[in-house]
Structures are given as structure tokens and as C-alpha cells.
Amino acid sequence: WSRKQGRREGREGRWTPSRATMSSTSDMDEMVENRKKIEKVLQQRLSELLKILTDREIRNLSNKGKIHRFDKDQVISAHGELGDSLKCVVSGSLEASSIYGQGANEISQRELTLGRGNTFGEEAILDMPCVMTVKALGPCEVCYIHVQHFRSVIGKNADVNAVLRSSLTWQEKHKSPLQILAQVLNC
């Protein structure tokens, strides 16, 4: 074994990478591939939030994102919990449902299906709890961009705050019949 850069000498005297070096090379390749996937998805700009970002901001966000994989029925974010990341669907489909009421009076209503390029968890940027429960409908990949990274990349983009507040206001204005019923019953 040679101490030189974690490599060993091959049979013919050539330097060959050790297993540790090969592993880190494949990890690096996966990281580069994930960044490309994230940037490609963010470039679609399917959410109002992403539409107002510049190409440079999108590129910087894609460098900060991390891909997490989920299996069918795994909960990605739960109603009422405080999140710390903006999330974007990279592959697969997710179900977002609202929870109305509490305890025995709790009612869950499927609101929408999220697919590639859709974002969720925007409440975390405003330090608010999740308004919906999101779970995987099958195997999927979700990009997480930590709130601190998001804020550092966006800087003082005033449009971001306005878009976030208006999307959350829209949810309040468009309450479903079940949500109204839950309010009437004080659930």
C-alpha cells in the first residue's frame, strides 16, 4: 500500500484508485447529477414563487438543494409542523390534503396532487406551520432547499415576500366546504 493520496500500486506498477477514492468519485458524480436534476426542475418555474426568480437565483438554489427519496404513503410534511425547507417535486407524485378539526372531529380532505416541478412548504420561509399534509403516492424524489439557503440566495427580492403572502391568503379565501363545516362546529 502506498500512502500517496489513498491509492495503491497495481500489478503492473500503475497507480489505481483505492475503493475509498472510487466511492467518493461516484458520490461526487451523484451529487453533480442531482444538482442538474434540481436545476432542470426549478427552471420549469411552475410555482408563482419560482416565476419571479432570475436564472442566477435558480442556479444558486439548485446548488443548495438536497434530494430526498420517499416510498409510497410516506409523509413528507405534516399539517401543523414547522418546516425548515422549501420543497420541490423532482420525480413522482404527491398528495396534499388539508386537515380540519381536532381529535375525534378531525376531517382530512384531499386538496391536490403535486407532480414534477410543483413546490410546497413555502410557509417555512415565513416561519409559519405547514397548512397541509403531503405524502408520497408512490416512489418519489423531493428537493429540499433549507430556508436559510433560500433567504441567502434571494437576498432582498421584495417580490418573493409578496408572492408568499398572496398564496397563503388565497388558501384562506378559498376554503372548502369541509373547512367551513369544521369552523362552524368549532372543531
Side-chain angles (χ1 to χ4, degrees):
W1 286 97
S2 169
R3 294 178 183 252
K4 189 175 184 179
Q5 298 289 334
R7 296 172 182 245
R8 61 184 172 82
E9 194 171 325
R11 288 187 181 168
E12 292 100 35
R14 293 182 301 211
W15 291 103
T16 57
S18 68
R19 287 185 183 166
T21 305
M22 288 190 297
S23 174
S24 64
T25 302
S26 65
D27 289 345
M28 184 65 96
D29 290 344
E30 183 180 357
M31 189 171 75
V32 169
E33 186 63 33
N34 283 344
R35 284 186 178 161
K36 287 179 184 176
K37 275 190 198 177
I38 293 168
E39 185 172 359
K40 191 174 183 178
V41 168
L42 295 179
Q43 286 288 354
Q44 290 179 318
R45 290 182 166 88
L46 294 183
S47 75
E48 291 301 314
L49 180 61
L50 296 178
K51 286 178 184 176
I52 61 174
L53 302 181
T54 65
D55 288 341
R56 182 176 178 212
E57 289 169 329
I58 293 283
R59 247 187 329 278
N60 288 338
L61 284 177
S62 67
N63 289 332
K64 304 285 187 183
K66 302 242 185 283
I67 292 182
H68 296 263
R69 289 166 180 82
F70 296 92
D71 293 322
K72 182 178 179 173
D73 294 328
Q74 271 190 289
V75 174
I76 298 162
S77 62
H79 176 266
E81 77 181 9
L82 286 174
D84 63 358
S85 300
L86 171 69
K87 300 165 188 84
C88 183
V89 182
V90 176
S91 67
S93 296
L94 312 176
E95 173 186 273
S97 56
S98 297
I99 308 290
Y100 309 110
Q102 296 174 356
N105 295 326
E106 189 173 281
I107 302 168
S108 176
Q109 179 182 350
R110 183 178 182 163
E111 297 289 343
L112 60 134
T113 301
L114 302 169
R116 180 180 165 88
N118 291 130
T119 58
F120 61 102
E122 292 89 345
E123 305 90 351
I125 299 167
L126 298 173
D127 298 318
M128 297 173 61
C130 297
V131 295
M132 293 187 172
T133 295
V134 179
K135 73 176 187 174
L137 290 174
C140 64
E141 295 177 315
V142 177
C143 169
Y144 281 60
I145 301 169
H146 196 276
V147 170
Q148 289 176 333
H149 295 309
F150 184 83
R151 288 179 181 148
S152 71
V153 167
I154 302 311
K156 296 183 179 183
N157 189 333
D159 293 335
V160 169
N161 219 7
V163 167
L164 288 171
R165 295 231 180 260
S166 70
S167 72
L168 295 176
T169 303
W170 179 90
Q171 290 173 358
E172 280 297 311
K173 288 179 186 172
H174 296 87
K175 293 180 179 176
S176 70
L178 284 177
Q179 190 172 19
I180 295 167
L181 178 61
Q183 279 184 327
V184 170
L185 297 174
N186 286 328
C187 300

